[in-house]
Amino acid sequence: MSSKVVAIVGSYRKGGVIDTAVEAVLEGAREKGAQTRTFYLTEQHIEFCTHCRQCAQAPGAGAQQMSAAGRYGVDPDGD
């Protein structure tokens, strides 16, 4: 099984120094056989906790986590 590397970029300047550094790190990971993916926070719709308490009812299954998993194709369990 290959490794997976996720980059989360919070910079507002796409194509700038941060992007260059992140891409260099990801390229190194790809050369070692890892699958890589980059998320730009400026492109995401991130909401605050709504205190729905779903996370307390089923630990690890909060609404924010579930919606993020479906929206971004990320497995919250790391698979």
Side-chain angles (χ1 to χ4, degrees):
M1 183 166 105
S2 67
S3 298
K4 296 179 182 178
V5 179
V6 176
I8 301 172
V9 180
S11 174
Y12 285 96
R13 296 182 179 158
K14 272 193 150 183
V17 174
I18 298 298
D19 269 349
T20 303
V22 168
E23 184 52 37
V25 170
L26 294 179
E27 180 59 33
R30 285 190 292 269
E31 288 174 3
K32 299 288 185 182
Q35 297 175 2
T36 65
R37 189 157 182 196
T38 303
F39 290 102
Y40 291 92
L41 293 181
T42 57
E43 296 175 355
Q44 309 305 319
H45 179 74
I46 300 172
E47 304 223 5
F48 291 100
C49 174
T50 60
H51 302 287
C52 67
R53 309 243 335 120
Q54 285 187 7
C55 59
Q57 303 302 318
Q64 296 293 338
Q65 183 177 14
M66 291 185 297
S67 67
R71 188 178 312 139
Y72 308 125
V74 176
D75 182 349
D77 295 323
D79 296 329

